[in-house]
Amino acid sequence: MRYTRISVAGRAVWGTVGEEEIELLSGSPLEQHPVDVIGSVPRAEAHWLPPVVPPVFYAVGMNYPRHIKHAGAPFPQRPEVGYRANNALTGHGSPIVKPAGVEGRFEAEPELVAVIGRTLRHATRDEAREGIFGWTIGNDISARTWQHEDRTFWRSKNSDTFKPMGPWIETDVDALAQTTTLRVNGEVRATFPTGDMVFDPFDFIVEITRHITLQPGDVLWMGAESVCQLEPGDTVEVEISGIGVLSNPVHLEGNHH
């Protein structure tokens, strides 16, 4: 099943995605009570929102061997997670806005995203696997000069629109057996096996839940093997086979054309 959130008359509504239509739901499938179909909209007319607004937004860095080697960084000895900010989330089709003050590298990173479906604490690997509701796609936008200038990643990673996510949550896929492809203006810039990670999502869930309770709707972004430069006017696509394609135009702040 493919679940998403779209804007209907200015209100966020959950839906299930079909080939032609999105069936609108009376509530969130992440909550335990049943949901009803309350209408539909043509898929072509949908205004896509991030498919979930997470209670907590977890993000993994440096989790693909090739990326770690390219960066000259040490290999991680255990799964450690960071945090990102919900204000940075934006939906499929919405613009990534490059702030006017950004100079230097402005980069995209294509990421698999796990969406948590149940409350987890001290999870085993099996419980971690069962605790994932489904999978979506993230594009981790980074302003590298800011990343090096600041003591934290507060603006380099978390500026508004820097975390496109979507277009939907796919509940029926072996996500780690897929292929991730990054395209800019239709040209392939990177492709890699999605599951070629140092630590997989289940490793991270086991480690996180030793200390922190995961809640339904929390998201875990899994890092990327490759990055590429973006410029205003570009359209960037992240495709993960078996899940879908997340596409966003890149705009310069203050220029809406």
Side-chain angles (χ1 to χ4, degrees):
M1 187 71 79
R2 288 175 168 175
Y3 291 100
T4 194
R5 292 165 65 253
I6 62 173
S7 180
V8 179
R11 190 168 65 94
V13 180
W14 280 89
T16 56
V17 183
E19 290 301 318
E20 301 292 333
E21 287 193 323
I22 297 174
E23 290 195 327
L24 304 177
L25 302 177
S26 59
S28 165
L30 286 161
E31 295 166 7
Q32 296 307 311
H33 53 73
V35 292
D36 301 316
V37 175
I38 56 171
S40 67
V41 297
R43 182 166 152 176
E45 296 175 16
H47 176 75
W48 305 84
L49 300 173
V52 63
V53 176
V56 183
F57 183 162
Y58 298 93
V60 173
M62 293 289 178
N63 195 35
Y64 283 79
R66 190 160 156 256
H67 189 184
I68 296 167
K69 288 172 186 165
H70 179 75
F75 266 70
Q77 299 303 302
R78 59 193 174 94
E80 293 185 76
V81 75
Y83 298 91
R84 297 292 174 260
N86 282 354
N87 68 275
L89 290 168
T90 194
H92 171 66
S94 293
I96 297 162
V97 179
K98 181 181 181 181
V102 167
E103 298 176 355
R105 302 291 292 175
F106 186 68
E107 293 182 328
E109 299 184 43
E111 304 205 9
L112 175 68
V113 180
V115 181
I116 304 301
R118 60 180 70 169
T119 303
L120 296 171
R121 184 80 157 101
H122 297 297
T124 64
R125 270 188 72 85
D126 284 346
E127 289 166 344
R129 193 182 298 272
E130 291 165 9
I132 291 176
F133 176 75
W135 306 88
T136 188
I137 301 169
N139 187 352
D140 178 14
I141 304 298
S142 303
R144 299 299 184 193
T145 301
W146 285 355
Q147 191 171 334
H148 298 308
E149 287 176 350
D150 298 340
R151 286 180 302 157
T152 71
F153 291 163
W154 72 278
R155 56 177 180 162
S156 65
K157 293 279 191 180
N158 295 317
S159 290
D160 290 351
T161 77
F162 274 26
K163 295 293 173 281
M165 184 169 70
W168 49 65
I169 302 164
E170 172 61 70
T171 62
D172 185 26
V173 64
D174 179 359
L176 300 182
Q178 305 306 316
T179 299
T180 300
T181 304
L182 177 65
R183 289 187 291 269
V184 177
N185 305 325
E187 177 188 323
V188 174
R189 297 292 182 87
T191 183
F192 56 90
T194 308
D196 189 21
M197 301 171 181
V198 179
F199 296 107
D200 68 22
F202 320 116
D203 294 325
F204 277 94
I205 290 169
V206 168
E207 182 66 21
I208 290 167
T209 62
R210 285 182 179 150
H211 309 281
I212 298 166
T213 303
L214 288 173
Q215 303 286 355
D218 284 347
V219 298
L220 177 63
W221 288 42
M222 290 308 306
E225 185 181 273
S226 303
V227 306
C228 82
Q229 171 74 9
L230 297 177
E231 303 291 347
D234 287 344
T235 296
V236 57
E237 293 178 317
V238 179
E239 179 171 6
I240 300 180
S241 58
I243 300 178
V245 180
L246 171 66
S247 177
N248 300 88
V250 183
H251 293 179
L252 186 63
E253 185 178 28
N255 181 356
H256 301 297
H257 304 295

